[in-house]
Amino acid sequence: AQRVTQPEKLLSVFKGAPVELKCNYSYSGSPELFWYVQYSRQRLQLLLRHISRESIKGFTADLNKGETSFHLKKPFAQEEDSAMYYCALPKSEKLVFGKGTKLTVNP
Amino acid sequence: DVKVTQSSRYLVKRTGEKVFLECVQDMDHENMFWYRQDPGLGLRLIYFSYDVKMKEKGDIPEGYSVSREKKERFSLILESASTNQTSMYLCASSLHSTGNEQFFGPGTRLTVL
């Protein structure tokens, strides 16, 4: 069964420090993975997707099929990165979401 | 720019009331979704609709029903609200295909007293 695991409910870093939000998945095949973000009082929105291989707001995510991971990384965190982050995996027309990681970037 | 709107940002209802949550999208998307969002539990799919009058149960459909009479509108109905349905409800829409981006509404925070 398709499943997404985000092992950290909460993650706290200082401004300027590197940040890595972990995501592990279970899927047989070549997955298309997403990271969604929800800033305070804003709607949930797509941050980046594996297939586009883009860097959005300084974040990148690399698919590691051997480790079945899609960790989200940023070399220098900013206070405005504080938000709720969800990793997601398509299941037919739907998405399977992880339980989310709340990132707090402290000044 | 895709717009998904939800009828209320905040709603307070009493136990046993019938509650309607409305969602409208303006991008002609085939798929529409209702989720509930709870701390520590993430997003859980309640119902999914892939076409007008077509629906599919999600992971937690108990106590809920849906209606999709028009392509742009997807309603979530709580037949008899209970306190354990107090939550944030998110609506989303997407094009018809595997792996398409979902666009979310702002959410409705429902409190059942």
Side-chain angles (χ1 to χ4, degrees):
Chain A
Q2 285 138 295
R3 194 163 55 243
V4 175
T5 304
Q6 293 180 251
E8 303 137 329
K9 283 188 179 179
L10 304 170
L11 186 61
S12 183
V13 300
F14 285 103
K15 177 183 171 181
V19 63
E20 180 180 71
L21 293 94
K22 292 184 167 51
C23 171
N24 290 92
Y25 65 90
S26 60
Y27 180 80
S28 55
S30 294
E32 167 69 47
L33 283 149
F34 301 84
W35 277 99
Y36 279 78
V37 63
Q38 188 172 30
Y39 302 103
S40 180
R41 298 187 184 84
Q42 293 188 29
R43 62 185 68 198
L44 193 62
Q45 59 188 290
L46 180 66
L47 177 63
L48 58 80
R49 58 195 304 173
H50 157 246
I51 199 168
S52 65
R53 299 186 184 277
E54 292 175 306
S55 172
I56 305 292
K57 299 186 178 184
F59 283 98
T60 59
D62 291 318
L63 180 64
N64 185 323
K65 291 185 183 179
E67 295 182 358
T68 60
S69 68
F70 189 57
H71 302 329
L72 185 68
K73 300 177 185 179
K74 185 169 183 177
F76 306 103
Q78 302 300 313
E79 289 180 68
E80 55 265 30
D81 296 327
S82 295
M84 194 74 188
Y85 292 81
Y86 293 96
C87 184
L89 174 71
K91 181 180 178 181
S92 184
E93 302 279 334
K94 303 182 284 288
L95 286 175
V96 177
F97 285 90
K99 293 187 177 181
T101 298
K102 184 174 182 179
L103 173 66
T104 302
V105 181
N106 299 297
Chain B
D1 196 24
V2 176
K3 279 287 178 358
V4 180
T5 57
Q6 295 182 228
S7 50
S8 306
R9 290 302 303 271
Y10 300 94
L11 209 52
V12 179
K13 295 292 181 182
R14 298 207 173 273
T15 301
E17 282 193 79
K18 190 168 186 176
V19 182
F20 293 87
L21 303 183
E22 306 283 340
C23 175
V24 177
Q25 50 94 6
D26 67 358
M27 283 302 289
D28 204 35
H29 284 171
E30 294 87 2
N31 296 336
M32 295 189 76
F33 309 83
W34 274 107
Y35 295 91
R36 61 178 284 176
Q37 183 182 34
D38 299 288
L41 297 178
L43 271 74
R44 294 180 290 168
L45 182 65
I46 305 171
Y47 266 97
F48 159 56
S49 171
Y50 50 92
D51 204 346
V52 175
K53 297 189 188 294
M54 305 305 286
K55 63 186 178 185
E56 186 177 304
K57 290 181 181 179
D59 301 317
I60 52 164
E62 296 79 19
Y64 303 94
S65 61
V66 290
S67 172
R68 193 163 179 205
E69 297 296 320
K70 294 185 176 182
K71 190 176 185 179
E72 68 271 18
R73 188 180 297 270
F74 192 33
S75 302
L76 180 69
I77 304 152
L78 286 67
E79 297 290 343
S80 177
S82 63
T83 55
N84 62 14
Q85 293 178 309
T86 292
S87 186
M88 173 68 86
Y89 290 87
L90 300 184
C91 175
S93 71
S94 73
L95 288 169
H96 179 70
S97 183
T98 299
N100 271 310
E101 176 183 358
Q102 289 187 15
F103 295 85
F104 284 83
T108 296
R109 181 163 298 280
L110 173 67
T111 302
V112 182
L113 302 175

